Amino acid sequence: MSGMTQKIDIRKYSLADLEEFFVAKGDKKFRAKQVYDWLWNKSLKNFDEMSNISKETRELLKAHFIINHVKVDHMQRSTDGTIKNAVKLFDGKVVESVLIPTEKRITACVSSQVGCSLDCNFCATARLKRMRNLNADEIYDQVVAIKDEAEQYFNRPLTNIVLMGMGEPLLNYQNVMQAIDKITSPEGLGMAPRRITLSTAGIPKMIKKMADDGVKFKLAISLHSAINETRNKLMPINEVNPLEDLIDSLKYWYQKTKSIVTYEYVVWEGINDDERHALALANFCKYVPSKVNLIQYNPIDEGDFRQAAQSKVDMYVRILENHGIVAKVRKSRGQDIDAACGQLANKNETAIL
Ligand code: SAH
């Protein structure tokens, strides 16, 4: 291999980078657009399949680049139709993504990091330490894999995307934004930004940055408690980013984007299942236009957390509705294959982690 330079992953190149490459090689600028379209819109894995590109140019590309792609290594189907993919990355690491079918929608839930650095006590992903950020193409490819499965198994198009898999998307900001750009661009999947939701444990500085960057997708916050003392115990990130700072960033977000915020909230027995917590949530919801998803707790081990009784969830709904706040109770999906919220932990891959 002496004298040969290391080949570059072509999917790290932007359209402008590719244009520069072709112009420097004495080719036409529009060649870049053709290649880019094969790489992103058509998700080609092989230069030789680029049928409108001359053999000579394909050889030139092969001499400089490789095409990295993720691979669905293992697929599990739940009795409720949910599909979980174990996705192998080019370096052998694995993340999980989930296809969630409902009557009206098919939603892709994708990961943004291998593991997670936040230590939310109730989440299985937190048990894996953060190993690395995903590249933009690795996030994008998870969506493409689910889009293909939606067509293959359900004969329906992918309608929604949630960044609610493994990892904290706002701690991998640049790659997540690039992935969303590709998902929404005509050269990529051409999806409407309003069909994408980014979920965060709440990093005020980055929420403000998103607002400044003029993003058009929706925002969800994993809240779980509107009382600092309780939230500190559930999500250590709250100790450095308390609710006051979160509120401040959400006001900023709403002022700039006019986009309503969703709060994700689990009611746990003995932790936040009393009126005091429900009222605190109702008050919290008044800072910016928002709605609440009351999500069911998915047990991750024999641990300290138990889903609160239905009567307590009903109490939350009643109090929120009395305050004019829209609250929906979300049933868990894919629990039998550990595909539900907070259950993504590469269980079938423990050997390599
Ligand atoms: N880090 C981001 C993205 C992960 S989203 C975030 O925190 O929003 C995963 C969602 O599942 C979050 O709302 C999280 O609070 C929730 N979750 C985690 N563990 C859970 C569990 N065991 N049962 C139900 N929901 C859980």
Side-chain angles (χ1 to χ4, degrees):
M1 298 284 279
S2 66
M4 235 177 96
T5 44
Q6 187 96 37
K7 292 186 189 178
I8 300 166
D9 176 6
I10 194 165
R11 297 175 89 223
K12 289 215 168 106
Y13 267 41
S14 66
L15 182 58
D17 293 338
L18 270 183
E19 284 172 352
E20 205 177 296
F21 171 82
F22 280 116
V23 172
K25 295 289 176 197
D27 202 335
K28 299 276 189 309
K29 199 170 153 186
F30 75 80
R31 197 77 61 220
K33 183 104 173 22
Q34 292 177 317
V35 170
Y36 200 76
D37 190 58
W38 285 116
L39 290 173
W40 294 99
N41 188 293
K42 305 203 176 61
S43 287
L44 232 61
K45 300 182 166 83
N46 194 325
F47 289 115
D48 282 327
E49 290 168 31
M50 300 185 172
S51 55
N52 60 354
I53 307 293
S54 73
K55 179 141 193 341
E56 197 188 341
T57 307
R58 280 184 269 134
E59 292 305 324
L60 173 75
L61 288 169
K62 279 193 251 177
H64 284 83
F65 300 107
I66 48 161
I67 309 178
N68 274 337
H69 265 282
V70 307
K71 182 170 164 290
V72 177
D73 210 34
H74 186 80
M75 185 191 118
Q76 282 172 283
R77 287 192 83 170
S78 160
T79 49
D80 68 18
T82 302
I83 292 177
K84 181 169 83 170
N85 292 332
V87 175
K88 192 167 253 168
L89 311 173
F90 70 89
D91 59 357
K93 294 205 167 40
V94 174
V95 291
E96 294 178 333
S97 24
V98 184
L99 177 159
I100 308 148
T102 62
E103 220 171 279
K104 290 199 187 119
R105 298 173 167 190
I106 291 198
T107 302
C109 173
V110 299
S111 295
S112 57
Q113 298 181 311
V114 187
C116 189
S117 60
L118 306 182
D119 279 319
C120 303
N121 292 325
F122 48 83
C123 180
T125 308
R127 311 280 157 96
L128 309 170
K129 64 177 197 313
R130 190 195 78 91
M131 302 177 78
R132 71 168 171 86
N133 284 336
L134 295 191
N135 297 327
D137 57 285
E138 292 170 326
I139 299 168
Y140 180 88
D141 284 355
Q142 292 175 67
V143 175
V144 173
I146 289 183
K147 177 181 171 283
D148 292 347
E149 287 170 348
E151 285 156 11
Q152 184 180 348
Y153 298 107
F154 298 87
N155 204 13
R156 285 161 57 188
L158 176 66
T159 59
N160 295 76
I161 299 169
V162 294
L163 280 139
M164 294 190 190
M166 296 171 148
E168 169 49 52
L170 294 189
L171 293 178
N172 183 17
Y173 189 81
Q174 218 193 341
N175 293 342
V176 165
M177 294 306 139
Q178 260 181 37
I180 294 176
D181 273 354
K182 302 264 197 268
I183 292 166
T184 53
S185 82
E187 289 87 23
L189 300 179
M191 284 197 57
R194 302 300 296 164
R195 294 182 174 277
I196 302 173
T197 302
L198 182 148
S199 177
T200 173
I203 301 167
K205 197 173 81 185
M206 301 314 286
I207 293 172
K208 286 186 177 172
K209 179 161 171 51
M210 274 196 296
D212 284 338
D213 288 348
V215 303
K216 298 275 187 292
F217 50 80
K218 296 193 203 166
L219 176 63
I221 307 288
S222 298
L223 191 63
H224 303 305
S225 176
I227 297 176
N228 273 322
E229 199 193 346
T230 307
R231 198 167 190 263
N232 283 345
K233 288 189 201 140
L234 296 167
M235 307 171 72
I237 191 180
N238 195 71
E239 289 167 21
V240 263
N241 299 283
L243 291 166
E244 295 71 27
D245 294 355
L246 184 59
I247 291 167
D248 180 53
S249 70
L250 292 175
K251 285 183 179 163
Y252 190 85
W253 161 270
Y254 187 76
Q255 196 192 344
K256 290 231 160 172
T257 65
K258 294 285 173 286
S259 170
I260 83 158
V261 178
T262 302
Y263 299 124
E264 295 153 277
Y265 200 102
V266 175
V267 189
W268 286 286
E269 188 181 300
I271 293 176
N272 58 357
D273 61 349
D274 51 16
E275 256 190 49
R276 185 172 75 98
H277 281 89
L279 282 168
L281 174 61
N283 283 325
F284 191 91
C285 288
K286 290 182 182 159
Y287 292 113
V288 295
S290 53
K291 63 183 168 80
V292 174
N293 278 344
L294 292 167
I295 54 184
Q296 194 182 326
Y297 176 59
N298 301 304
I300 55 167
D301 51 22
E302 302 303 304
D304 310 330
F305 294 95
R306 264 188 308 273
Q307 166 71 38
Q310 186 59 42
S311 60
K312 302 295 174 82
V313 177
D314 294 344
M315 178 265 297
Y316 262 84
V317 172
R318 201 177 55 245
I319 288 182
L320 290 168
E321 282 177 354
N322 284 344
H323 284 76
I325 294 144
V326 177
K328 290 212 176 85
V329 179
R330 295 264 180 224
K331 271 221 235 81
S332 167
R333 305 288 306 269
Q335 252 200 39
D336 56 333
I337 54 165
D338 287 323
C341 299
Q343 292 189 315
L344 303 184
N346 291 346
K347 257 198 197 167
N348 296 312
E349 307 288 337
T350 37
I352 66 148
L353 286 163

